[in-house]
């Protein structure tokens, strides 16, 4: 099992809604949960009314003394619809401090788990973000972006940088734009894991106690099911087909193209 981290680099493409929808659609829900790892603060408690504690703050405190699987579930809370979440505090200062202290160790521990899948919402990843160490330890990173150049270009630098470090990574495209998924893959050499339609009405229902039948028919939830199944199948390949669908992070990248973008990655990730 592993750690699937959703993030963005620019704009507001809908990282939190996408991560929440995928967590709710995960094929094995009793062995998976959503973890808010956004240094800007959490949104689930605001959207659903659940308390922010227990959550990331209490889990981060427990992590200082070593974390067990029981600790993880002890700091999770049920959401309407059946998913579970480790909510982050609303306060940016508190969330950033927890991730600065515990993000790296917590990310490594979660990525190595064989008994639970964690879908993490890391929010917008900027230079020097406390979530960087957490993201770089993920089993797979999904960058959420709209198919427009001002989000695709900076996003490609982050994704190629992760893949050079042998962290599997790819796009989740949200809404319509001038560039199709195939064009995005051809232009940047990074796979598109899924496409989520622009569905404000459906997005507003994600994570709520709304009618399950109505929610399941929304375009955003149908797309989340497809994306969740794709990611789950890659993390847990069938024994008769051990080759994952996602390409080798270091394969099929032209050295010149990677070298040019890698400088941008260093600037974006390390601030150098």
């Amino acid at each position: 099992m592993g750690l699937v981290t959703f993030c963005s680099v620019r704009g507001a493409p809908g990282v939190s809604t996408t991560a929440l929808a995928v967590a709710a659609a995960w094929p094995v829900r009793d062995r998976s949960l959503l973890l808010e790892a956004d240094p800007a603060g959490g949104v689930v408690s605001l959207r659903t009314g659940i308390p922010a504690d227990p959550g990331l703050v209490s889990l981060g405190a427990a992590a200082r003394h070593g974390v067990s699987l029981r600790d993880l579930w002890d700091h999770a809370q049920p959401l309407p619809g059946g998913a579970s979440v480790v909510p982050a505090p609303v306060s940016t200062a508190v969330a950033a401090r927890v991730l600065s202290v515990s993000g790296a160790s917590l990310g490594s521990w979660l990525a190595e788990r064989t008994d639970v899948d964690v879908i993490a919402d890391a929010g917008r990843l900027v230079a020097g973000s406390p979530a960087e160490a957490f993201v770089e330890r993920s089993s797979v990173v999904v960058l959420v972006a709209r198919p427009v150049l001002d989000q695709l270009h900076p996003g490609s630098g982050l994704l190629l940088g992760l893949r050079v470090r042998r962290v599997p990574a790819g796009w989740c495209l949200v809404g319509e734009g001038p560039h199709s998924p195939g064009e995005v893959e051809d232009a940047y050499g990074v796979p598109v894991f899924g496409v989520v339609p622009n569905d404000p009405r459906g997005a507003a229902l994600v994570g709520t106690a709304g009618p399950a039948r109505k929610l399941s028919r929304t375009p955003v939830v149908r797309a989340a099911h497809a994306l969740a199944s794709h990611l789950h199948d890659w993390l847990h390949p069938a024994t008769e087909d051990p080759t994952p669908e996602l390409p080798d992070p270091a394969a099929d990248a032209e050295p010149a193209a990677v070298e040019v973008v890698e400088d941008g990655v260093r600037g974006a990730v390390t601030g150098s």
Side-chain angles (χ1 to χ4, degrees), residues 22-264:
V22 168
W26 203 253
V28 188
R29 196 179 296 176
D30 62 344
R31 299 183 70 186
S32 63
L33 55 79
L34 173 69
L35 185 141
E36 289 195 295
D38 187 347
V43 299
V44 168
S45 61
L46 294 175
R47 291 184 179 182
T48 65
I50 67 170
D53 187 65
L56 182 65
V57 173
S58 56
L59 178 62
R64 300 173 191 169
H65 310 290
V67 186
S68 68
L69 181 62
R70 180 175 179 177
D71 288 327
L72 182 61
W73 287 107
D74 283 346
H75 301 286
Q77 300 184 49
L79 285 172
S84 298
V85 62
V86 176
V90 176
S91 166
T92 297
V94 176
R97 184 165 62 249
V98 172
L99 289 167
S100 295
V101 174
S102 305
S105 58
L106 192 58
S108 294
W109 181 79
L110 291 173
E112 294 169 359
R113 299 305 306 176
T114 60
D115 42 19
V116 64
D117 287 325
V118 175
I119 295 87
D121 170 12
R124 187 185 303 176
L125 202 64
V126 298
S129 169
E132 281 180 4
F134 182 91
V135 170
E136 290 182 354
R137 286 160 175 78
S138 302
S139 305
V140 59
V141 176
V142 183
L143 193 144
V144 182
R146 299 191 182 278
V148 293
L149 286 179
D150 64 334
Q151 293 190 22
L152 294 172
H153 188 66
S156 68
L158 172 64
L159 290 175
L160 285 170
L162 288 168
R163 289 165 65 81
V164 166
R165 296 177 178 84
R166 305 195 69 80
V167 179
W171 303 99
C172 172
L173 302 179
V174 177
E176 296 181 355
H179 306 289
S180 70
E183 290 172 337
V184 172
E185 289 185 333
D186 291 343
Y188 297 109
V190 179
V192 174
F193 296 159
V195 178
V196 176
N198 187 30
D199 178 20
R201 290 185 179 181
L205 294 174
V206 172
T208 70
R213 187 174 182 181
K214 180 179 180 180
L215 182 60
S216 66
R217 292 178 175 177
T218 61
V220 66
V221 169
R222 291 200 301 267
H225 273 279
L227 178 56
S229 295
H230 178 75
L231 293 169
H232 177 272
D233 290 348
W234 177 77
L235 285 172
H236 312 287
T239 54
E240 63 271 16
D241 182 17
T243 304
E245 293 182 21
L246 303 187
D248 187 321
D252 301 326
E254 297 183 6
V258 172
E259 185 177 353
V260 171
V261 179
E262 194 176 356
D263 288 336

